[in-house]
Amino acid sequence: MAAGSGGLKDATAVVGIGQTPFAKRLPEDERTLACRAVLAALDDAGIAPGEVDALASYTMEETDEVELAKACGFGDITFFSKVGFGGGGSCATVAHLAAAIVAGQAGVGVAWRSRKRGSGPRPWTDTTVQLPTPAQWTRPYGLLRPADEIAMLTRRYLHEYGATRDHLFNVALACRNRANQNPAAIMYERPLTREMYMTSRWISEPLCLFDNCLETDGALACVVVSAERARDCRRRPVYVHSAAQSLPAQHHGMVNYWNDDPLTGPAWSAARHLWKHSDLTPEDVDVAQIYDAFTPLVLLSLEGYGFCGRGEGGAFTEGGALETGGLLPLNTGGGGLSEAYVHGFNLINEGVRQLRGTSTAQVPDASACLVTAGEGVPTSALLLRS
Amino acid sequence: MLRPVPDADGAPFWEYAAQGELRVQACGDCGELRFPPRPCCPHCQSFASEWRPVSGRGRVWSYVVAHPPLLPDYAAHAPYNVVVVELDEAPRIRLVGNLVAGAGQPLGAFPPENLRIGARVRAVFHDGLPQWVPERS
C-alpha cells in the first residue's frame, strides 16, 4: 500500500460496480435501491459484505449509513464520509474512500447514490425551505430553478465567446447517440435530431428541454480497495490515478455571478490539482465522462480541464469531436442527459466500464478516463486508468 | 410571489430597499465593497462594515427568459425575464432582478426581444424590491 508521501496515485482501485435499473418511476424506495446497488457492486468485486469497513456518499443522500450497514450486513465501519453540494460530490465519494484506505483507516470502501428524482418532488419547489443565503437575492425575482441559474451563465458565455446553440446541441447529441447504444439508458433507441432540438420547448432561454438532464429513479454504487488487494479481486482493477476536490476562492455556488470571473468555475481549480498529481495530461485522456446536468456545463468543463483554451469549448465540440472515434468521446453511457441523472454517479461506473473494456460504446484500448462532478458548484474529479 | 427571507447579514439591504434606497455593504476598514453581504471582509478580515449608497445605475450582464414548469405565482407571469445587472460603481457587484417597463409592472410585461446584454438600466423600487428599468439617454 502506498502510504504517506506516495499520495493517492494509483494506490487504490475501483474493483466493483453495481446499479439498479433506471426509470422515470421505480416501485422500490431509495433505501432498497441503495442496498441493491451496493450488494451488486460487492458481488461484482467478489468481496463479502462483512468485509466492508468504509462508506462514502453525498450529503443529499437519504439512505442513512447505519441503515445501509445493518441491512447489507457490513462489518465494523471505521470510516464514513458525506460530501456536500449535490452533484459536485460524486467523484469525491471515491476520493474520500481512496484517501481513507491509503491512510490506513479502512480496507474496503463502498460509495453510493440512490435517488428518486423521476417520481419524487423537485427540490426547487420546496418553498418552505428557502435558505436565506443566497436565495434571498435570487428567488423573489423568479430565478427559481437550477436551469435558470445555469441559463444565466450560459447567456453570458454565448455572448462573450460567440458560441451558439449548435454547440450545445453537439453535447446533447453525443450523449443521446451513446444512450441509443446502451440498453440500460432511459433514452435507449430514442434518437435525437437537430430539428427536434431546435424546435423543442424552452425551459429557461437560452436553455431548451434537451439542454436539461433527465429526471430519474435509480441507484449506483462502487467498491474501492487498495491496489494490492485489487489484484486478488474478480475484475480487472481500475486505478484511481488522481483525484481532486475544489471550492475555488470567492466561489458562490450555482450563482457564481458574484465572482470576479464567473466563467472560470470550480472545474479550473479542480483541474489544477488533478493534473498536478497526475502522470498524465489532457492529451492522454482517451474518453471523458463529464458532468452534464446541463449541456453548457460540458463546454465550461472542456475548458477548465484543459482540453481546449478558454472560450473554445463550443468550437471544440465541432466535427464530431465528442462522438465515438472523435477527439474526446464523451459520456459513453449517455450521461445525465440521456442515460440517467443520478447526481453523476453513472459517470463513475461508465468510466470503470470503459477501462475494463465492457462499455456499450467502447473506445478501443481506452486506458485513461476523466470523470468529473458538477461544474457550477464545489466540485470533484477523478482520473481513472487501467 | 416569494418574499426575500433575509439573514442577519442581508437584512440592512432589504431595510434600505424598503425606503427606496440601494446600498451595498462595504468594509468599515479597507472600504472594499462586497456582495452578497457577509460577516467579515475577505480582503482584510475586518468585522467592521457600513452600507454605502450607490447610484442604482448599471448594465445588463446577462439575462434569462423563464418558461414553465415554475412555481404557480411565477408561472402566471411566464415567460418572464430575470436579469443580472452590473453596477456602474462596482462592475463586479452584480444584482439579480427583473427588467420592467416601469416600477410595479408585472414580471412578464417587458418584451423579451428588447432585452440585450450591455443595455443601460437604473434601479426603481416597488413593494420593497429593487427592480430595473431601461435608462433613457
Side-chain angles (χ1 to χ4, degrees):
Chain A
M1 182 185 292
S5 60
L8 289 187
K9 191 189 293 177
D10 300 325
T12 60
V14 179
V15 292
I17 53 175
Q19 66 194 48
T20 67
F22 304 130
K24 186 81 180 168
R25 184 175 301 272
L26 292 173
E28 293 181 321
D29 63 15
E30 285 178 351
R31 185 165 56 175
T32 306
L33 295 173
C35 292
R36 288 194 186 281
V38 165
L39 291 173
L42 286 164
D43 183 57
D44 186 52
I47 291 177
E51 291 194 64
V52 174
D53 56 7
L55 301 175
S57 195
Y58 305 52
T59 55
M60 293 172 87
E61 172 60 41
E62 292 188 16
T63 303
D64 177 76
E65 294 94 333
V66 175
E67 296 302 320
L68 186 74
K70 198 162 53 180
C72 292
F74 296 157
D76 293 343
I77 303 297
T78 57
F79 177 89
F80 38 94
S81 169
K82 282 196 167 179
V83 186
F85 309 107
S90 57
C91 293
T93 60
V94 172
H96 285 202
L97 293 176
I101 290 165
V102 169
Q105 294 298 301
V108 176
V110 164
W112 84 97
R113 183 77 174 103
S114 174
R115 200 166 194 230
K116 294 192 75 169
R117 175 72 174 266
S119 56
R122 307 282 184 274
W124 60 265
T125 58
D126 188 353
T127 54
T128 59
V129 190
Q130 261 209 85
L131 298 173
T133 304
Q136 63 183 312
W137 312 109
T138 58
R139 295 199 81 184
Y141 300 106
L143 197 76
L144 302 173
R145 306 161 296 183
D148 301 312
E149 295 167 337
I150 296 302
M152 192 70 83
L153 212 54
T154 305
R155 173 87 64 183
R156 183 72 196 187
Y157 181 93
L158 300 179
H159 170 84
E160 206 159 304
Y161 300 140
T164 66
R165 290 189 68 215
D166 272 305
H167 294 137
L168 302 179
F169 166 67
N170 289 341
V171 173
L173 182 67
C175 291
R176 183 64 70 91
N177 285 343
R178 299 296 83 71
N180 291 165
Q181 298 171 254
N182 174 10
I186 289 188
M187 292 298 174
Y188 180 54
E189 292 182 327
R190 291 175 68 183
L192 175 70
T193 65
R194 186 175 181 279
E195 188 190 358
M196 286 164 68
Y197 177 90
M198 290 297 170
T199 58
S200 70
R201 64 187 170 90
W202 293 114
I203 301 298
S204 191
E205 296 177 51
L207 297 184
C208 71
L209 179 66
F210 296 113
D211 293 309
N212 288 260
C213 62
L214 300 167
E215 302 285 4
T216 311
D217 284 5
L220 300 107
C222 71
V223 181
V224 183
V225 298
S226 71
E228 189 179 23
R229 171 77 194 263
R231 288 193 276 275
D232 301 326
C233 290
R234 196 175 272 168
R235 307 282 176 212
R236 187 206 295 184
V238 170
Y239 295 97
V240 178
H241 178 66
S242 181
Q245 272 193 283
S246 169
L247 193 175
Q250 294 297 308
H251 177 67
H252 292 278
M254 294 287 281
V255 283
N256 202 34
Y257 331 125
W258 300 315
N259 194 293
D260 282 0
D261 186 1
L263 295 179
T264 59
W268 273 257
S269 55
R272 282 193 290 275
H273 186 89
L274 193 76
W275 297 122
K276 182 178 165 189
H277 294 275
S278 167
D279 296 338
L280 307 176
T281 68
E283 289 74 38
D284 299 315
V285 171
D286 302 305
V287 54
Q289 316 297 334
I290 295 181
Y291 194 90
D292 58 344
F294 305 101
T295 55
L297 298 183
V298 173
L299 306 187
L300 289 165
S301 297
L302 288 169
E303 297 173 17
Y305 287 99
F307 295 101
C308 58
R310 180 176 174 156
E312 297 172 357
F316 185 89
T317 68
E318 293 170 3
L322 307 180
E323 303 284 340
T324 300
L327 270 177
L328 187 70
L330 175 78
N331 297 3
T332 43
L337 287 163
S338 283
E339 182 188 29
Y341 184 64
V342 193
H343 256 160
F345 211 105
N346 51 323
L347 300 175
I348 299 172
N349 281 14
E350 174 61 15
V352 171
R353 278 191 289 266
Q354 278 288 350
L355 299 180
R356 286 177 172 182
T358 60
S359 169
T360 50
Q362 184 62 42
V363 172
D365 304 319
S367 64
C369 179
L370 172 71
V371 185
T372 76
E375 169 62 358
V377 289
T379 194
S380 52
L382 293 171
L383 200 51
L384 302 176
R385 73 189 300 186
S386 56
Chain B
M1 306 298 269
L2 297 170
R3 299 294 304 171
V5 180
D7 58 6
D9 297 313
F13 178 94
W14 299 110
E15 286 158 18
Y16 286 115
Q19 299 159 30
E21 253 192 282
L22 194 65
R23 290 195 184 218
V24 174
Q25 190 186 31
C27 177
D29 282 317
C30 76
E32 282 276 347
L33 292 174
R34 61 182 189 254
F35 187 85
R38 68 203 82 154
C40 54
C41 175
H43 302 281
C44 74
Q45 285 72 42
S46 165
F47 282 78
S49 74
E50 59 188 37
W51 285 82
R52 193 173 299 169
V54 290
S55 69
R57 293 180 197 284
R59 288 175 187 273
V60 173
W61 181 82
S62 189
Y63 63 94
V64 302
V65 180
H67 295 252
L70 291 156
L71 296 176
D73 286 351
Y74 290 86
H77 294 284
Y80 61 83
N81 75 72
V82 188
V83 296
V84 169
V85 173
E86 269 190 338
L87 297 181
D88 279 355
E89 292 92 338
R92 285 167 179 171
I93 290 189
R94 306 183 181 101
L95 301 176
V96 176
N98 303 111
L99 189 59
V100 293
Q105 293 258 320
L107 277 193
F110 192 89
E113 60 273 19
N114 291 355
L115 289 160
R116 72 177 174 82
I117 288 178
R120 298 203 56 83
V121 296
R122 70 182 167 84
V124 294
F125 292 86
H126 175 72
D127 204 17
L129 289 186
Q131 296 181 304
W132 301 91
V133 297
E135 176 94 271
R136 315 247 178 251
S137 53

